[in-house]
Amino acid sequence: MRLTKGPPVLVRDFDFESKPLWFWYDKPTAVLTSISFMDSVGGRPDHDSLTTEVAPLDTRAQYVDWLRHIFVVLTTADVLTGHNIDRFDLPLFQAQLLRQGLPALPKLTTQDTMRLVKKRDASASQESLINYVALKATCPIGMPIYKHHLSIPEWEDAAMGWSDEVLIERPMSDVHGHVHLREVLIEKGYLSPPRAWSPTRK
């Protein structure tokens, strides 16, 4: 995060959805199916920036062009934030780049809400965090804060490309809820500060 005076810090909250492609010794390869993202500028959430994009999977060329576009989305923010992005979303995206021979992600600054204060015997899932009464976040414009649940048939419809609604509402609810959850966690001193994320192993 910028420590010197300058333009307001741009924090971009994001979440990917994906589906398995192939199983190899119980380790599936995956393809991205959608992304949602929303910006906070100078500590103020910008609801007009809330965006969800469904990945174009009709041809390899379309998908690769979309990955290049998402690369720009992820690398033009001062800080990236989300839930479990350090160990899941960013490595998942990095794998897409590797498989398509695209440049690797650069070092990034992230604030992952999995990095909370030390604790024991307390759920740190985003769903739990947004539903703890004492952490209940509110949206200043009245948008509901929730995590959209999916049944197995809904997941199957999304994976087959039969229902884009699933690929839109789930990550969108995750991102919007996370934006306001992060505000509460920072206010109460529960969230670790932003830190460097590296695309290579240490």
Side-chain angles (χ1 to χ4, degrees):
M1 182 181 290
R2 293 172 179 164
L3 300 177
T4 58
K5 293 182 179 180
V9 171
L10 170 61
V11 177
R12 182 159 290 151
D13 199 305
F14 79 99
D15 179 58
F16 282 121
E17 295 298 328
S18 62
K19 65 179 179 181
L21 285 180
W22 185 261
F23 289 88
W24 182 79
Y25 291 102
D26 296 327
K27 295 180 180 180
T29 59
V31 65
L32 301 179
T33 51
S34 63
I35 183 177
S36 285
F37 54 92
M38 177 175 161
D39 294 343
S40 295
V41 183
R44 304 184 70 173
D46 176 11
H47 288 82
D48 290 337
S49 69
L50 181 57
T51 302
T52 302
E53 298 183 10
V54 176
L57 300 176
D58 289 340
T59 68
R60 180 190 298 270
Q62 287 179 323
Y63 186 62
V64 171
D65 284 346
W66 185 75
L67 292 178
R68 291 191 177 101
H69 159 64
I70 299 304
F71 184 97
V72 175
V73 169
L74 296 182
T75 57
T76 52
D78 297 312
V79 179
L80 290 175
T81 187
H83 197 71
N84 203 25
I85 60 171
D86 286 355
R87 292 188 295 178
F88 182 78
D89 296 85
L90 289 173
L92 178 64
F93 182 68
Q94 181 98 307
Q96 313 303 303
L97 300 176
L98 183 152
R99 283 161 42 198
Q100 303 303 331
L102 298 173
L105 284 167
K107 290 184 178 180
L108 300 166
T109 301
T110 66
Q111 190 172 34
D112 191 329
T113 48
M114 287 289 285
R115 299 200 307 265
L116 298 174
V117 292
K118 293 179 180 179
K119 61 196 178 308
R120 186 183 171 95
D121 299 334
S123 172
S125 72
Q126 181 171 320
E127 183 176 13
S128 293
L129 292 173
I130 65 175
N131 282 294
Y132 285 131
V133 173
L135 300 179
K136 199 67 176 178
T138 58
C139 173
I141 67 170
M143 285 181 62
I145 293 176
Y146 66 102
K147 185 179 181 69
H148 182 58
H149 285 286
L150 294 178
S151 65
I152 294 300
E154 286 176 308
W155 275 120
E156 291 174 347
D157 285 351
M160 296 298 291
W162 296 338
S163 177
D164 282 355
E165 292 180 8
V166 170
L167 300 178
I168 294 171
E169 184 172 0
R170 182 175 172 86
M172 186 171 66
S173 70
D174 269 6
V175 165
H176 177 250
H178 187 272
V179 166
H180 296 299
L181 168 65
R182 176 176 168 270
E183 291 179 313
V184 174
L185 295 175
I186 291 174
E187 177 189 347
K188 294 184 177 294
Y190 295 148
L191 185 58
S192 298
R195 71 179 185 185
W197 178 88
S198 175
T200 57
R201 296 182 183 276
K202 296 180 180 179

